[in-house]
Amino acid sequence: MEEDPGGPVVMVNLLRFAPDGRASYEEYSRRAAAFLKRYGGELLHAGDGGTPLVAEDGQAWDAVLLVRYPDRAAFSRMVADPEYQEITGLRSRALAEAVLQPTSPWSPAVNGDHEVRTVSASCEPDHQ
């Protein structure tokens, strides 16, 4: 992860399950929870993908997860952990296709009359 603006990172996980892959992914998720905790990660959202409202063909996903890490280095340390490496086969077998997109918070800015602010997991605006 060469580009690193510093600070927290939220990973957007777009998942398309292999046939019968959901059970394997659920097992991976159960085991991965300990690693998230160890490295300061937090699952913000996990949900089934619905019918896309705006998307090209083939851009529908079975599930979407948002995972926050304190910084990109924490994520890199987690995925390099030899104990974590032991469970990655569960994830690989579970998925036919996936996108893992790191995101960084926007800097406070004004967009027309609407101030851009981050929103916490409780969906209340963070007052910065």
Side-chain angles (χ1 to χ4, degrees):
M1 296 187 22
E2 291 185 23
E3 77 179 52
D4 185 355
V9 60
V10 174
M11 295 290 194
V12 177
N13 294 255
L14 304 174
L15 310 176
R16 187 165 296 118
F17 296 115
D20 301 320
R22 187 178 287 268
S24 181
Y25 196 85
E26 288 172 357
E27 178 63 20
Y28 162 78
S29 294
R30 281 191 291 279
R31 293 184 186 188
F35 295 99
L36 282 179
K37 184 176 180 179
R38 182 182 303 172
Y39 291 97
E42 176 187 8
L43 178 63
L44 301 177
H45 176 79
D48 291 326
T51 301
L53 302 178
V54 178
E56 300 293 324
D57 286 342
Q59 292 183 333
W61 298 95
D62 295 327
V64 177
L65 285 77
L66 301 175
V67 184
R68 180 180 13 219
Y69 296 89
D71 50 41
R72 291 176 187 225
F75 172 78
S76 293
R77 286 191 307 274
M78 184 187 82
V79 298
D81 184 315
E83 291 179 58
Y84 175 81
Q85 289 292 316
E86 292 176 12
I87 68 167
T88 59
L90 290 166
R91 184 180 190 279
S92 297
R93 286 189 298 277
L95 299 174
E97 187 175 5
V99 171
L100 181 61
Q101 176 74 51
T103 68
S104 302
W106 286 348
S107 299
V110 176
N111 182 3
D113 292 334
H114 304 286
E115 184 178 345
V116 176
R117 295 183 287 178
T118 59
V119 178
S120 68
S122 66
C123 295
E124 294 295 324
D126 289 338
H127 299 286
Q128 301 176 5

